[in-house]
Amino acid sequence: MTSDALYALPRFRRSGDAALTVEVGDGIAAEVNARVVDLDRALTDRALRGIVELVPTYRTLLVCFDPTVLSRGDVESEIMALWPPVAPEGQLRRRWTVPVAYGGDNGMDLDWLAQRLNTTTDDIVARHSAAEYRVYMIGFMPGLTYLGGLDPFLHVDRRPEPRLVVPPGSVSVGGQQAAISPPLPAPSGWHMLGRTPVRSYDPRRETEPFLFRAGDLVRFRPIGSAECAALERAAEAGEIIAEKEEHTA
Amino acid sequence: MSAHLEVIEPGLATTIQDLGRRGWQRFGISESGAMDPIALAIANALVGNTVGTAALEVTLAGPVLACVNGDIRIALAGADFAMMIDGRPVTSHETHDLKSGQHLVIGAARDGARAVLAVSGGFQIKPMLGSVATHSRSQLGGLNGGPLRKGDLLPLALPGLPGRPHLMVSPACRVRPNGPVRVLLGPQDDAFSAEGIATFLGSDYAVTPLSDRMGCRLEGPRVAHAGAVGIVSDGIVFGSIQIPGNGQPIILLADRQTTGGYPKIATVISADLPRLAQLRPGERLRFQAIEEDEAIKLAREMRRQIDRIGDSLIEVRGGSDLTSEHLLASNLISGVISALEWVQADVATS
């Protein structure tokens, strides 16, 4: 997608008397999501009294405020005053490498997807682990990480009937998107390709319960079952087993 | 062993709640917290706690609790539930002393669906991400990340009976509003046809039994979308009303998922959120769109009401003993019929 997807000015959508949805662009595109991330940071830095929560998603920022302190008009004026928000210079970008055990019990839809796309499971794994993904948002449930950047060859409609429970740590694809499940059972209509021992959410890691945030980059690294078991034990002991690099954007 | 409440029977869905977990929605953590924050504030004020102290939220059918190794003062506020201490009926919206060895039975809701049981001093439970609010789907908060279970032991933070008078809430503070649930249209009201919006605002909807703390599912005339049924997922607030493909509204509540991809036709105003906690399966409701200025005025009134809960407390002389003052007070607060029940039951057990 090109930057045509970005709106020149934000569009404000009322979300009750205590919240405002700020839409910055159209569709699922890295530059649209980058603007959401920049607006999120700019408003966080402003630390306006009365703003109680900011929720960045693909193309909107949800601004929750206390209606006895601030009005929607106040929030809109603040946003217009800092438009367009820009990323600070020398900002650190995080790139994660996430190990994945593909197929079998770990990825119950891998064989199905290979048949559906008339290719081999090795090809699916190669394509899925060759891409660099952007974290667009964390949502729905704790640490569920929504990724963009999936190889278009792997775009397949979601399941007609969602599964009520998919295994914790599932690595899946649905439509144009990819995802990493938290270590919790969850419903999902996506296709399960593998499983990661990485815990995107672990409340016992008191200083860092969540690994990923919107704007991070992610790559997948295929691993065998022995390595998966070893990493599983390390994660159980509280280790952050995803590898992290930081570089200036 | 230290003082605690032992769960003899857990009730239908009894959870520990406070004012919720705010600031983590960006990581997919649901807000949770008491569905009826006014009930939480009243129950806590009665027992001398700060308004957001963690308490038990009971739903439709309450728990049986035993007080072990310490005395405690309690109060139930919100919906009207049948309640007994060691077989003696007691009223809600009023403090009672629960002594070591006594059993508290919270029965069925007679009106409304949810109430809050506060204990003086609160519970001694470690917060997770800044709150002890239970969110069952995330296995977060409470004792074990879920509703109370038989045999659970809830540790009391400060057991002992406070040396202050018994209190009740003035009847004026207990009026439950009726009339339509007021909403502001948006954020995606443009995803619906004019006819769809007219259907939504002009029809009766019934609360289905599939409703829970996550969402109130409604059944009624189908709300027509203007085009696509999906949007790119975005954030959801308490009171958002989404319309999935079947055209049946779902009001998203305290335990809602943090993001969603169905268009949201309207949002319940802040001042009407506590009412949502009290909707019973089968109950009917209607929506009314109001202006933003009106919603803000009502939000400010609700805030004042919560800030002034202390002023609405009335001293009950003689405590929970059967005295003429207390009878009069019960009469005032619960209406003649429940006061009669109270007397008859008391006679029967004495």
Side-chain angles (χ1 to χ4, degrees):
Chain A
M1 280 214 169
T2 69
S3 57
D4 292 347
L6 266 181
Y7 299 154
L9 293 173
R11 293 183 192 171
F12 298 117
R13 289 174 172 271
R14 188 169 71 178
S15 294
D17 54 66
L20 173 69
T21 299
V22 188
E23 203 173 284
V24 308
D26 196 13
I28 298 175
E31 56 271 39
V32 171
N33 187 245
R35 179 150 290 178
V36 172
V37 170
D38 291 341
L39 178 61
D40 176 37
R41 184 179 296 107
L43 273 181
T44 302
D45 290 347
R46 278 289 280 121
L48 212 57
R49 196 176 83 87
I51 289 189
V52 294
E53 180 138 31
L54 298 168
V55 188
T57 58
Y58 286 99
R59 63 190 192 112
T60 71
L61 182 71
L62 177 67
V63 182
C64 303
F65 55 87
D66 178 345
T68 67
V69 177
L70 280 179
S71 74
R72 181 161 69 101
D74 298 334
V75 178
E76 290 183 7
S77 310
E78 283 292 331
I79 291 169
M80 293 312 293
L82 53 77
W83 198 263
V86 284
E89 298 252 333
Q91 181 198 340
L92 283 182
R93 190 90 190 261
R94 310 192 305 173
R95 180 190 282 119
W96 299 92
T97 302
V98 173
V100 181
Y102 286 93
D105 289 343
N106 292 317
M108 53 191 154
D109 296 322
L110 182 65
D111 291 341
W112 174 88
L113 192 65
Q115 277 173 26
R116 167 82 167 68
L117 296 174
N118 204 15
T119 184
T120 61
T121 55
D122 285 350
D123 180 45
I124 305 271
V125 170
R127 287 172 183 274
H128 185 259
S129 57
E132 181 167 80
Y133 300 87
R134 175 188 174 89
V135 175
Y136 275 94
M137 71 173 195
I138 314 295
F140 190 68
M141 64 183 298
L144 180 58
T145 306
Y146 288 84
L147 305 170
L150 182 66
D151 183 332
F153 183 77
L154 300 178
H155 294 183
V156 172
D157 282 347
R158 294 168 200 190
R159 289 167 57 84
E161 283 292 322
R163 290 189 175 102
L164 290 178
V165 176
V166 300
S170 286
V171 170
S172 58
V173 297
Q176 310 170 44
Q177 296 163 255
I180 305 171
S181 298
L184 292 168
S188 174
W190 294 26
H191 308 288
M192 306 296 127
L193 301 189
R195 199 171 58 81
T196 180
V198 169
R199 299 177 175 214
S200 64
Y201 160 63
D202 188 345
R204 296 171 310 167
R205 290 192 309 245
E206 288 189 9
T207 54
E208 212 173 359
F210 305 97
L211 277 194
F212 310 121
R213 58 180 182 233
D216 285 358
L217 301 174
V218 169
R219 278 177 181 280
F220 293 113
R221 177 171 69 85
I223 55 170
S225 52
E227 190 181 354
C228 186
L231 290 172
E232 197 93 58
R233 284 192 295 275
E236 179 61 40
E239 245 179 82
I240 292 175
I241 52 173
E243 298 146 47
K244 179 172 74 171
E245 303 160 49
E246 288 185 323
H247 56 96
T248 43
Chain B
M1 186 182 273
S2 58
H4 58 266
L5 287 180
E6 181 180 350
V7 179
I8 309 294
E9 291 296 335
L12 193 60
T14 310
T15 56
I16 294 171
Q17 297 296 343
D18 55 20
L19 288 172
R21 211 169 257 112
R22 283 207 121 160
W24 298 98
Q25 193 170 328
R26 61 169 57 238
F27 291 114
I29 297 286
S30 302
E31 184 180 359
S32 306
M35 285 272 289
D36 182 345
I38 294 180
L40 179 71
I42 292 175
N44 273 321
L46 281 168
V47 298
N49 295 342
T50 54
V51 291
T53 303
L56 295 180
E57 180 183 280
V58 305
T59 306
L60 292 171
V64 178
L65 304 166
C67 189
V68 182
N69 280 347
D71 306 337
I72 197 100
R73 187 160 290 177
I74 58 156
L76 188 77
D80 180 26
F81 277 74
M83 183 160 64
M84 290 192 292
I85 293 175
D86 273 0
R88 182 172 57 90
V90 293
T91 51
S92 65
H93 294 85
E94 178 177 345
T95 57
H96 302 282
D97 290 339
L98 194 60
K99 301 204 171 97
S100 191
Q102 287 190 314
H103 280 57
L104 171 69
V105 178
I106 301 179
R110 294 183 282 218
D111 179 35
R114 287 190 175 85
V116 171
L117 179 80
V119 301
S120 52
F123 298 105
Q124 191 171 40
I125 292 171
K126 194 175 166 221
M128 290 172 87
L129 303 175
S131 162
V132 299
T134 308
H135 186 249
S136 304
R137 281 177 186 78
S138 308
Q139 301 166 9
L140 201 58
L143 274 191
N144 301 296
L148 294 196
R149 294 177 306 196
K150 190 176 182 138
D152 276 350
L153 305 178
L154 304 168
L156 300 168
L158 296 167
L161 297 176
R164 51 192 213 107
H166 279 269
L167 298 170
M168 63 177 205
V169 183
S170 88
C173 284
R174 301 191 45 195
V175 178
R176 288 250 319 277
N178 46 32
V181 171
R182 292 162 293 185
V183 300
L184 297 178
L185 289 176
Q188 284 103 26
D189 45 324
D190 57 351
F192 300 88
S193 65
E195 187 202 338
I197 290 179
T199 305
F200 172 71
L201 294 173
S203 309
D204 266 13
Y205 287 92
V207 176
T208 78
L210 289 175
S211 301
D212 57 14
R213 284 179 45 90
M214 188 176 187
C216 176
R217 290 168 178 270
L218 301 173
E219 199 169 52
R222 183 190 176 117
V223 177
H225 294 80
V229 167
I231 58 166
V232 179
S233 289
D234 67 6
I236 301 178
V237 299
F238 194 165
S240 287
I241 305 170
Q242 68 177 22
I243 313 277
N246 64 6
Q248 304 295 309
I250 301 172
I251 313 175
L252 296 159
L253 305 173
D255 281 2
R256 67 197 178 275
Q257 69 276 29
T258 61
T259 57
Y262 292 120
K264 299 174 282 294
I265 192 169
T267 315
V268 177
I269 66 166
S270 304
D272 278 0
L273 293 178
R275 290 174 58 182
L276 302 178
Q278 304 304 349
L279 294 171
R280 297 165 72 106
E283 198 165 329
R284 303 186 81 78
L285 64 92
R286 205 170 249 267
F287 295 106
Q288 180 192 9
I290 64 166
E291 294 300 320
E292 196 163 9
D293 291 352
E294 177 72 3
I296 291 167
K297 198 187 92 192
L298 292 164
R300 293 189 171 149
E301 276 171 22
M302 181 170 81
R303 169 60 55 83
R304 273 194 297 276
Q305 190 197 338
I306 291 178
D307 289 345
R308 288 184 191 157
I309 277 170
D311 302 343
S312 65
L313 302 182
I314 300 169
E315 202 172 305
V316 181
R317 275 186 290 161
S320 301
D321 299 330
L322 183 60
T323 63
S324 56
E325 286 99 328
H326 186 250
L327 256 186
L328 273 172
S330 299
N331 223 335
L332 261 176
I333 207 163
S334 315
V336 175
I337 293 173
S338 50
L340 272 177
E341 280 173 0
W342 192 86
V343 176
Q344 283 162 356
D346 199 83
V347 167
T349 54
S350 55

